Amino acid sequence: MAQQQVLRLGLGLNIQRSDGRIHSAVVSGLNEDQQSITVEWFEGGETKGKEVEVETILALNENMLPPPDWAGFEHLQVPKPAPVNNPPPQSRIPLAQKQNFPVQTPADPSKRKSQCVKEIDKIKKNREERRQRVNQPGVGGDIDPSNPNWEFAQMIDDYRNELNVTPLSFANEIVRDHRICVCVRKRPINKKEKKAKTVDVLTLPSRDTMTVHEPKLKVDLTKYLENHNFHFDYTFDENVDNSTVYKFTAQPIIRTIFDGGFATCFAYGQTGSGKTHTMGGDFSGKDQNFSAGIYAMAARDVFDLLKSQQYSHLDLKVGCSFFEIYGGKVFDLLAKRAKRRVLEDGKSVVNVVDLKETPVLSVNSVLNAIKDGSAVRTSGQTSANAHSSRSHAVFQIILRNSRGKLHGKFSLIDLAGNERGADTSSANRATRLEGAEINKSLLALKECIRAMSMKATHIPFRASKLTQVLRDSFIGEKARTCMIATCAPGQNSVECTLNTLRYADRVKELGPGAKPAPPAPNMQNNDNDLAYMHQSLRSQGDEDEDPEMYNFHQAVDMLQEAQDMLVDEHQQCISENKEYLKQEEAILQRVEQDVDYDIEDYARALDVILQRKINRLKTMQDKLNAVRSQLHKEEEISKTLRRPAKKR
């Protein structure tokens, strides 16, 4: 049986790593308050360390015992050293003295401390100082020491206290004219986050800057912040209401549609960050106040300008349409979610066939249309929101002249949650296809806006259904665009918030250092625009570009095309079968009622019907096989995609 040893500095023992490996390490620190020890070892050319609970060490090292003075381990008997019959003091002569060797005095234990131990002592000292500051009356603000994340909260609070904050002054700020305006909006901490004691990690030090404090841990479990700074045209904090956001984003581009142009306003962000609140209006439980959203505010200004002296002579009529794009397909929200086709004519004019355009005479008419359309929009439940938007909702205010010709159009888009675009590697095919379509449309939207801002010779609007139906918004000198990136403030949303801000930041990348767009493709089709988009992303060094993503997007497009062809064929087959059934009934009726019927005519007529049915079924079988083949191809390519890295 191995001799029992008491835990002490410098003692060698076994530890178990998070991946299950067991190897030796040396005790470099004893932490009685935390009932843990700090160990270090040499690996990969460097010294590493970690903190381990004493109970874990004792379970792994059966011959180990805790220090005798530690509370909580009284049940473990530490053997006392056996008494030793020491010789008289005068007989105890050091061996070195007897042999005339110089006596070596023991080294100072503090000098033997490794750098790891010194750092741990320093961290412990700093932690205790922070705790003392927080517990002092009037110090620490709203920091709650019982919050498990209080140290991160204290660091963020210290960071903010050192800032010279210059927020957006709404009273004196001049609204500037932008062809492309990109702003961000921070929503307040909600009840669920407050209950979970979530830390607010977003700071707005100025009217055009947002800082994200990303909580992180070092290898020795030291907590620290990585601060990310982003700059935009405007930043709005949690105290700003919808009317102020509207004043600086959508309102300045309203006149564009009266001047014969196209205006577009996007709300972009993760589920639960405030997109639908910003575009549609405030929520009270499940009920939404549509009169307080940007949709309604834009409608009010349109009717006010319509009556103004500057534009009343144009005799314009107002209409609205409301549709959603889900899974690469368009559904009319004002026509009981009927499926619509998107076609492009020889003049490159894109039309949504049979899309319902409702004439509106007042703001109330607009609000009723928004309410009816929102009630049938595709949604699903997530951990962030009970009614997560799974589609892009496009509400359009349309101006036509007295002859019915299009004069101008304002498109307001509530985009699907951007976290759904990361589901391309999901094991569930439905989730994977949904995520692929959202991912592709968001990338295409970014590239179209960037190409528009750089006045590129080619805009890849055919790369997705969303950008295809919004083609008019990206071309011409009279096109104006604004993007509102909405951000959740909690630390649990920090990864999605960073993705949102990086996306918005790349949209606004218009400086002299921006790389030129690649040459335009020769052929004008969806596949070439998709290839062009991915080529542009690669040339820009975009983080969103996965080398295999183009193949995956292409496979999904081919699958959707094969599916559409199969569905059309099936519908055609059912329609023809109804007609064939009538013909067969007529033939049988003649056979039963006419005693002199010609059996050869009956056989010939029936044979013609059967051959047509067989040919139709063979065609449908071929298209069914094509769908199965594309399903297999999509699944195989999805396995090669880069999985999102897990955050520590």
mmCIF file of all heavy atoms in Angstrom, residues 123-158:
data_model
loop_
_atom_site.group_PDB
_atom_site.id
_atom_site.type_symbol
_atom_site.label_atom_id
_atom_site.label_comp_id
_atom_site.label_asym_id
_atom_site.label_seq_id
_atom_site.Cartn_x
_atom_site.Cartn_y
_atom_site.Cartn_z
ATOM 1 N N ILE A 123 -3.765 37.609 -8.620
ATOM 2 C CA ILE A 123 -5.186 37.564 -8.993
ATOM 3 C C ILE A 123 -6.062 37.519 -7.753
ATOM 4 O O ILE A 123 -7.078 38.202 -7.646
ATOM 5 C CB ILE A 123 -5.455 36.336 -9.892
ATOM 6 C CG1 ILE A 123 -4.756 36.514 -11.237
ATOM 7 C CG2 ILE A 123 -6.950 36.128 -10.094
ATOM 8 C CD1 ILE A 123 -4.645 35.234 -12.027
ATOM 9 N N LYS A 124 -5.641 36.681 -6.782
ATOM 10 C CA LYS A 124 -6.412 36.565 -5.547
ATOM 11 C C LYS A 124 -6.465 37.898 -4.811
ATOM 12 O O LYS A 124 -7.510 38.312 -4.292
ATOM 13 C CB LYS A 124 -5.785 35.488 -4.657
ATOM 14 C CG LYS A 124 -6.575 35.185 -3.396
ATOM 15 C CD LYS A 124 -5.945 34.029 -2.636
ATOM 16 C CE LYS A 124 -6.752 33.715 -1.374
ATOM 17 N NZ LYS A 124 -6.149 32.599 -0.610
ATOM 18 N N LYS A 125 -5.320 38.591 -4.785
ATOM 19 C CA LYS A 125 -5.269 39.889 -4.117
ATOM 20 C C LYS A 125 -6.186 40.889 -4.812
ATOM 21 O O LYS A 125 -6.953 41.615 -4.168
ATOM 22 C CB LYS A 125 -3.831 40.399 -4.115
ATOM 23 C CG LYS A 125 -3.659 41.748 -3.427
ATOM 24 C CD LYS A 125 -2.196 42.193 -3.472
ATOM 25 C CE LYS A 125 -2.045 43.569 -2.837
ATOM 26 N NZ LYS A 125 -0.628 44.038 -2.917
ATOM 27 N N ASN A 126 -6.138 40.912 -6.148
ATOM 28 C CA ASN A 126 -6.996 41.839 -6.897
ATOM 29 C C ASN A 126 -8.469 41.529 -6.693
ATOM 30 O O ASN A 126 -9.314 42.423 -6.602
ATOM 31 C CB ASN A 126 -6.656 41.784 -8.388
ATOM 32 C CG ASN A 126 -5.289 42.360 -8.690
ATOM 33 O OD1 ASN A 126 -4.760 43.134 -7.892
ATOM 34 N ND2 ASN A 126 -4.722 41.988 -9.830
ATOM 35 N N ARG A 127 -8.783 40.216 -6.626
ATOM 36 C CA ARG A 127 -10.180 39.822 -6.425
ATOM 37 C C ARG A 127 -10.695 40.306 -5.080
ATOM 38 O O ARG A 127 -11.805 40.824 -4.968
ATOM 39 C CB ARG A 127 -10.301 38.301 -6.525
ATOM 40 C CG ARG A 127 -11.748 37.795 -6.443
ATOM 41 C CD ARG A 127 -11.822 36.292 -6.362
ATOM 42 N NE ARG A 127 -11.225 35.673 -7.529
ATOM 43 C CZ ARG A 127 -10.213 34.816 -7.485
ATOM 44 N NH1 ARG A 127 -9.672 34.497 -6.316
ATOM 45 N NH2 ARG A 127 -9.741 34.286 -8.591
ATOM 46 N N GLU A 128 -9.871 40.128 -4.054
ATOM 47 C CA GLU A 128 -10.280 40.578 -2.722
ATOM 48 C C GLU A 128 -10.450 42.096 -2.678
ATOM 49 O O GLU A 128 -11.379 42.613 -2.048
ATOM 50 C CB GLU A 128 -9.234 40.131 -1.680
ATOM 51 C CG GLU A 128 -9.158 38.627 -1.481
ATOM 52 C CD GLU A 128 -10.479 38.034 -1.025
ATOM 53 O OE1 GLU A 128 -11.205 38.718 -0.282
ATOM 54 O OE2 GLU A 128 -10.788 36.903 -1.429
ATOM 55 N N GLU A 129 -9.575 42.825 -3.372
ATOM 56 C CA GLU A 129 -9.697 44.284 -3.394
ATOM 57 C C GLU A 129 -10.988 44.708 -4.084
ATOM 58 O O GLU A 129 -11.660 45.649 -3.649
ATOM 59 C CB GLU A 129 -8.487 44.888 -4.105
ATOM 60 C CG GLU A 129 -7.193 44.784 -3.303
ATOM 61 C CD GLU A 129 -6.004 45.328 -4.076
ATOM 62 O OE1 GLU A 129 -6.183 45.666 -5.271
ATOM 63 O OE2 GLU A 129 -4.910 45.411 -3.488
ATOM 64 N N ARG A 130 -11.337 44.034 -5.187
ATOM 65 C CA ARG A 130 -12.577 44.376 -5.890
ATOM 66 C C ARG A 130 -13.786 44.089 -5.006
ATOM 67 O O ARG A 130 -14.748 44.862 -4.971
ATOM 68 C CB ARG A 130 -12.680 43.594 -7.207
ATOM 69 C CG ARG A 130 -11.792 44.111 -8.306
ATOM 70 C CD ARG A 130 -12.251 43.607 -9.670
ATOM 71 N NE ARG A 130 -12.274 42.156 -9.755
ATOM 72 C CZ ARG A 130 -11.225 41.427 -10.138
ATOM 73 N NH1 ARG A 130 -10.093 42.023 -10.457
ATOM 74 N NH2 ARG A 130 -11.319 40.123 -10.205
ATOM 75 N N ARG A 131 -13.755 42.969 -4.301
ATOM 76 C CA ARG A 131 -14.871 42.638 -3.411
ATOM 77 C C ARG A 131 -15.028 43.683 -2.309
ATOM 78 O O ARG A 131 -16.143 44.070 -1.962
ATOM 79 C CB ARG A 131 -14.648 41.255 -2.793
ATOM 80 C CG ARG A 131 -14.925 40.107 -3.757
ATOM 81 C CD ARG A 131 -14.598 38.765 -3.145
ATOM 82 N NE ARG A 131 -14.939 37.674 -4.041
ATOM 83 C CZ ARG A 131 -14.553 36.417 -3.869
ATOM 84 N NH1 ARG A 131 -13.813 36.093 -2.830
ATOM 85 N NH2 ARG A 131 -14.913 35.485 -4.732
ATOM 86 N N GLN A 132 -13.891 44.149 -1.797
ATOM 87 C CA GLN A 132 -13.964 45.172 -0.752
ATOM 88 C C GLN A 132 -14.549 46.471 -1.298
ATOM 89 O O GLN A 132 -15.352 47.125 -0.644
ATOM 90 C CB GLN A 132 -12.564 45.421 -0.177
ATOM 91 C CG GLN A 132 -12.024 44.254 0.660
ATOM 92 C CD GLN A 132 -10.597 44.494 1.103
ATOM 93 O OE1 GLN A 132 -10.045 45.560 0.882
ATOM 94 N NE2 GLN A 132 -9.996 43.470 1.721
ATOM 95 N N ARG A 133 -14.160 46.828 -2.552
ATOM 96 C CA ARG A 133 -14.700 48.055 -3.142
ATOM 97 C C ARG A 133 -16.192 47.946 -3.363
ATOM 98 O O ARG A 133 -16.953 48.878 -3.134
ATOM 99 C CB ARG A 133 -14.002 48.339 -4.481
ATOM 100 C CG ARG A 133 -12.575 48.789 -4.365
ATOM 101 C CD ARG A 133 -12.146 49.499 -5.638
ATOM 102 N NE ARG A 133 -12.330 48.674 -6.821
ATOM 103 C CZ ARG A 133 -11.409 47.859 -7.312
ATOM 104 N NH1 ARG A 133 -10.245 47.743 -6.694
ATOM 105 N NH2 ARG A 133 -11.642 47.160 -8.397
ATOM 106 N N VAL A 134 -16.640 46.772 -3.836
ATOM 107 C CA VAL A 134 -18.071 46.584 -4.103
ATOM 108 C C VAL A 134 -18.877 46.649 -2.820
ATOM 109 O O VAL A 134 -19.977 47.196 -2.770
ATOM 110 C CB VAL A 134 -18.306 45.231 -4.817
ATOM 111 C CG1 VAL A 134 -19.789 44.917 -4.886
ATOM 112 C CG2 VAL A 134 -17.710 45.278 -6.210
ATOM 113 N N ASN A 135 -18.319 46.096 -1.732
ATOM 114 C CA ASN A 135 -19.053 46.051 -0.461
ATOM 115 C C ASN A 135 -19.027 47.370 0.294
ATOM 116 O O ASN A 135 -19.742 47.540 1.281
ATOM 117 C CB ASN A 135 -18.474 44.944 0.435
ATOM 118 C CG ASN A 135 -18.764 43.555 -0.124
ATOM 119 O OD1 ASN A 135 -19.805 43.354 -0.745
ATOM 120 N ND2 ASN A 135 -17.846 42.622 0.069
ATOM 121 N N GLN A 136 -18.197 48.331 -0.144
ATOM 122 C CA GLN A 136 -18.165 49.624 0.525
ATOM 123 C C GLN A 136 -19.442 50.395 0.228
ATOM 124 O O GLN A 136 -19.931 50.373 -0.898
ATOM 125 C CB GLN A 136 -16.957 50.435 0.049
ATOM 126 C CG GLN A 136 -15.626 49.914 0.552
ATOM 127 C CD GLN A 136 -14.464 50.705 -0.029
ATOM 128 O OE1 GLN A 136 -14.681 51.694 -0.710
ATOM 129 N NE2 GLN A 136 -13.259 50.245 0.254
ATOM 130 N N PRO A 137 -20.019 51.108 1.203
ATOM 131 C CA PRO A 137 -21.236 51.885 0.978
ATOM 132 C C PRO A 137 -21.004 52.948 -0.089
ATOM 133 O O PRO A 137 -20.003 53.654 -0.074
ATOM 134 C CB PRO A 137 -21.514 52.530 2.352
ATOM 135 C CG PRO A 137 -20.750 51.693 3.326
ATOM 136 C CD PRO A 137 -19.556 51.173 2.605
ATOM 137 N N GLY A 138 -21.950 53.030 -1.036
ATOM 138 C CA GLY A 138 -21.887 54.056 -2.071
ATOM 139 C C GLY A 138 -20.918 53.740 -3.187
ATOM 140 O O GLY A 138 -20.686 54.564 -4.060
ATOM 141 N N VAL A 139 -20.307 52.564 -3.172
ATOM 142 C CA VAL A 139 -19.335 52.210 -4.205
ATOM 143 C C VAL A 139 -19.861 50.995 -4.956
ATOM 144 O O VAL A 139 -20.470 50.113 -4.380
ATOM 145 C CB VAL A 139 -17.957 51.892 -3.586
ATOM 146 C CG1 VAL A 139 -16.975 51.467 -4.669
ATOM 147 C CG2 VAL A 139 -17.429 53.108 -2.841
ATOM 148 N N GLY A 140 -19.584 50.959 -6.280
ATOM 149 C CA GLY A 140 -19.969 49.792 -7.074
ATOM 150 C C GLY A 140 -21.269 49.958 -7.794
ATOM 151 O O GLY A 140 -21.674 49.088 -8.539
ATOM 152 N N GLY A 141 -21.962 51.079 -7.659
ATOM 153 C CA GLY A 141 -23.181 51.325 -8.411
ATOM 154 C C GLY A 141 -24.222 50.276 -8.143
ATOM 155 O O GLY A 141 -24.583 50.002 -7.008
ATOM 156 N N ASP A 142 -24.692 49.641 -9.242
ATOM 157 C CA ASP A 142 -25.734 48.624 -9.131
ATOM 158 C C ASP A 142 -25.152 47.223 -9.094
ATOM 159 O O ASP A 142 -25.850 46.253 -9.351
ATOM 160 C CB ASP A 142 -26.701 48.756 -10.324
ATOM 161 C CG ASP A 142 -27.419 50.104 -10.318
ATOM 162 O OD1 ASP A 142 -27.671 50.610 -9.220
ATOM 163 O OD2 ASP A 142 -27.711 50.624 -11.408
ATOM 164 N N ILE A 143 -23.866 47.075 -8.814
ATOM 165 C CA ILE A 143 -23.234 45.762 -8.811
ATOM 166 C C ILE A 143 -23.751 44.946 -7.641
ATOM 167 O O ILE A 143 -23.750 45.383 -6.498
ATOM 168 C CB ILE A 143 -21.704 45.881 -8.723
ATOM 169 C CG1 ILE A 143 -21.185 46.779 -9.863
ATOM 170 C CG2 ILE A 143 -21.058 44.520 -8.781
ATOM 171 C CD1 ILE A 143 -21.510 46.272 -11.231
ATOM 172 N N ASP A 144 -24.215 43.727 -7.964
ATOM 173 C CA ASP A 144 -24.747 42.823 -6.949
ATOM 174 C C ASP A 144 -23.716 41.725 -6.691
ATOM 175 O O ASP A 144 -23.474 40.883 -7.560
ATOM 176 C CB ASP A 144 -26.067 42.223 -7.448
ATOM 177 C CG ASP A 144 -26.667 41.234 -6.457
ATOM 178 O OD1 ASP A 144 -26.141 41.128 -5.326
ATOM 179 O OD2 ASP A 144 -27.672 40.583 -6.805
ATOM 180 N N PRO A 145 -23.064 41.713 -5.499
ATOM 181 C CA PRO A 145 -22.038 40.691 -5.224
ATOM 182 C C PRO A 145 -22.567 39.269 -5.287
ATOM 183 O O PRO A 145 -21.790 38.324 -5.449
ATOM 184 C CB PRO A 145 -21.556 41.050 -3.814
ATOM 185 C CG PRO A 145 -21.936 42.488 -3.621
ATOM 186 C CD PRO A 145 -23.205 42.673 -4.390
ATOM 187 N N SER A 146 -23.895 39.077 -5.137
ATOM 188 C CA SER A 146 -24.454 37.728 -5.219
ATOM 189 C C SER A 146 -24.602 37.248 -6.660
ATOM 190 O O SER A 146 -24.884 36.079 -6.904
ATOM 191 C CB SER A 146 -25.826 37.687 -4.522
ATOM 192 O OG SER A 146 -26.763 38.500 -5.211
ATOM 193 N N ASN A 147 -24.424 38.158 -7.603
ATOM 194 C CA ASN A 147 -24.495 37.794 -9.012
ATOM 195 C C ASN A 147 -23.256 36.983 -9.386
ATOM 196 O O ASN A 147 -22.126 37.432 -9.154
ATOM 197 C CB ASN A 147 -24.572 39.079 -9.852
ATOM 198 C CG ASN A 147 -24.814 38.797 -11.332
ATOM 199 O OD1 ASN A 147 -24.564 37.699 -11.824
ATOM 200 N ND2 ASN A 147 -25.285 39.797 -12.038
ATOM 201 N N PRO A 148 -23.414 35.798 -9.966
ATOM 202 C CA PRO A 148 -22.234 35.001 -10.331
ATOM 203 C C PRO A 148 -21.334 35.704 -11.348
ATOM 204 O O PRO A 148 -20.171 35.343 -11.495
ATOM 205 C CB PRO A 148 -22.839 33.716 -10.916
ATOM 206 C CG PRO A 148 -24.242 34.076 -11.288
ATOM 207 C CD PRO A 148 -24.675 35.106 -10.308
ATOM 208 N N ASN A 149 -21.885 36.700 -12.039
ATOM 209 C CA ASN A 149 -21.106 37.440 -13.033
ATOM 210 C C ASN A 149 -20.712 38.824 -12.530
ATOM 211 O O ASN A 149 -20.436 39.727 -13.326
ATOM 212 C CB ASN A 149 -21.912 37.569 -14.330
ATOM 213 C CG ASN A 149 -22.288 36.228 -14.914
ATOM 214 O OD1 ASN A 149 -21.437 35.383 -15.165
ATOM 215 N ND2 ASN A 149 -23.577 36.009 -15.127
ATOM 216 N N TRP A 150 -20.679 39.005 -11.200
ATOM 217 C CA TRP A 150 -20.458 40.345 -10.660
ATOM 218 C C TRP A 150 -19.086 40.907 -11.026
ATOM 219 O O TRP A 150 -18.928 42.123 -11.181
ATOM 220 C CB TRP A 150 -20.624 40.337 -9.131
ATOM 221 C CG TRP A 150 -19.512 39.671 -8.376
ATOM 222 C CD1 TRP A 150 -19.432 38.368 -7.998
ATOM 223 C CD2 TRP A 150 -18.294 40.286 -7.923
ATOM 224 N NE1 TRP A 150 -18.255 38.121 -7.336
ATOM 225 C CE2 TRP A 150 -17.527 39.287 -7.265
ATOM 226 C CE3 TRP A 150 -17.784 41.578 -7.984
ATOM 227 C CZ2 TRP A 150 -16.287 39.534 -6.701
ATOM 228 C CZ3 TRP A 150 -16.540 41.831 -7.418
ATOM 229 C CH2 TRP A 150 -15.804 40.826 -6.793
ATOM 230 N N GLU A 151 -18.100 40.026 -11.190
ATOM 231 C CA GLU A 151 -16.767 40.527 -11.528
ATOM 232 C C GLU A 151 -16.748 41.138 -12.927
ATOM 233 O O GLU A 151 -16.133 42.184 -13.152
ATOM 234 C CB GLU A 151 -15.751 39.398 -11.414
ATOM 235 C CG GLU A 151 -15.472 38.996 -9.971
ATOM 236 C CD GLU A 151 -14.556 37.794 -9.884
ATOM 237 O OE1 GLU A 151 -14.982 36.696 -10.271
ATOM 238 O OE2 GLU A 151 -13.416 37.965 -9.423
ATOM 239 N N PHE A 152 -17.436 40.483 -13.881
ATOM 240 C CA PHE A 152 -17.553 41.063 -15.216
ATOM 241 C C PHE A 152 -18.313 42.391 -15.149
ATOM 242 O O PHE A 152 -17.938 43.366 -15.805
ATOM 243 C CB PHE A 152 -18.276 40.103 -16.154
ATOM 244 C CG PHE A 152 -17.446 38.924 -16.585
ATOM 245 C CD1 PHE A 152 -17.944 37.635 -16.491
ATOM 246 C CD2 PHE A 152 -16.171 39.107 -17.095
ATOM 247 C CE1 PHE A 152 -17.186 36.547 -16.887
ATOM 248 C CE2 PHE A 152 -15.398 38.025 -17.496
ATOM 249 C CZ PHE A 152 -15.909 36.745 -17.389
ATOM 250 N N ALA A 153 -19.379 42.409 -14.349
ATOM 251 C CA ALA A 153 -20.166 43.637 -14.212
ATOM 252 C C ALA A 153 -19.312 44.770 -13.643
ATOM 253 O O ALA A 153 -19.418 45.927 -14.077
ATOM 254 C CB ALA A 153 -21.379 43.383 -13.322
ATOM 255 N N GLN A 154 -18.459 44.434 -12.668
ATOM 256 C CA GLN A 154 -17.586 45.452 -12.069
ATOM 257 C C GLN A 154 -16.571 45.975 -13.094
ATOM 258 O O GLN A 154 -16.320 47.176 -13.174
ATOM 259 C CB GLN A 154 -16.856 44.863 -10.865
ATOM 260 C CG GLN A 154 -15.942 45.849 -10.140
ATOM 261 C CD GLN A 154 -16.711 46.982 -9.495
ATOM 262 O OE1 GLN A 154 -17.623 46.744 -8.715
ATOM 263 N NE2 GLN A 154 -16.360 48.209 -9.837
ATOM 264 N N MET A 155 -16.004 45.076 -13.887
ATOM 265 C CA MET A 155 -15.051 45.501 -14.915
ATOM 266 C C MET A 155 -15.706 46.446 -15.921
ATOM 267 O O MET A 155 -15.117 47.455 -16.329
ATOM 268 C CB MET A 155 -14.487 44.277 -15.652
ATOM 269 C CG MET A 155 -13.644 43.346 -14.802
ATOM 270 S SD MET A 155 -13.102 41.917 -15.788
ATOM 271 C CE MET A 155 -12.755 40.722 -14.507
ATOM 272 N N ILE A 156 -16.938 46.093 -16.347
ATOM 273 C CA ILE A 156 -17.652 46.941 -17.308
ATOM 274 C C ILE A 156 -17.991 48.287 -16.681
ATOM 275 O O ILE A 156 -17.870 49.341 -17.320
ATOM 276 C CB ILE A 156 -18.931 46.218 -17.800
ATOM 277 C CG1 ILE A 156 -18.553 44.959 -18.587
ATOM 278 C CG2 ILE A 156 -19.781 47.140 -18.667
ATOM 279 C CD1 ILE A 156 -19.721 44.063 -18.927
ATOM 280 N N ASP A 157 -18.387 48.248 -15.399
ATOM 281 C CA ASP A 157 -18.712 49.485 -14.691
ATOM 282 C C ASP A 157 -17.473 50.378 -14.575
ATOM 283 O O ASP A 157 -17.550 51.597 -14.777
ATOM 284 C CB ASP A 157 -19.253 49.156 -13.302
ATOM 285 C CG ASP A 157 -19.904 50.348 -12.635
ATOM 286 O OD1 ASP A 157 -20.801 50.937 -13.246
ATOM 287 O OD2 ASP A 157 -19.509 50.692 -11.503
ATOM 288 N N ASP A 158 -16.322 49.780 -14.283
ATOM 289 C CA ASP A 158 -15.070 50.542 -14.208
ATOM 290 C C ASP A 158 -14.718 51.143 -15.569
ATOM 291 O O ASP A 158 -14.254 52.290 -15.656
ATOM 292 C CB ASP A 158 -13.925 49.638 -13.731
ATOM 293 C CG ASP A 158 -14.090 49.205 -12.281
ATOM 294 O OD1 ASP A 158 -14.880 49.845 -11.555
ATOM 295 O OD2 ASP A 158 -13.445 48.216 -11.875
#
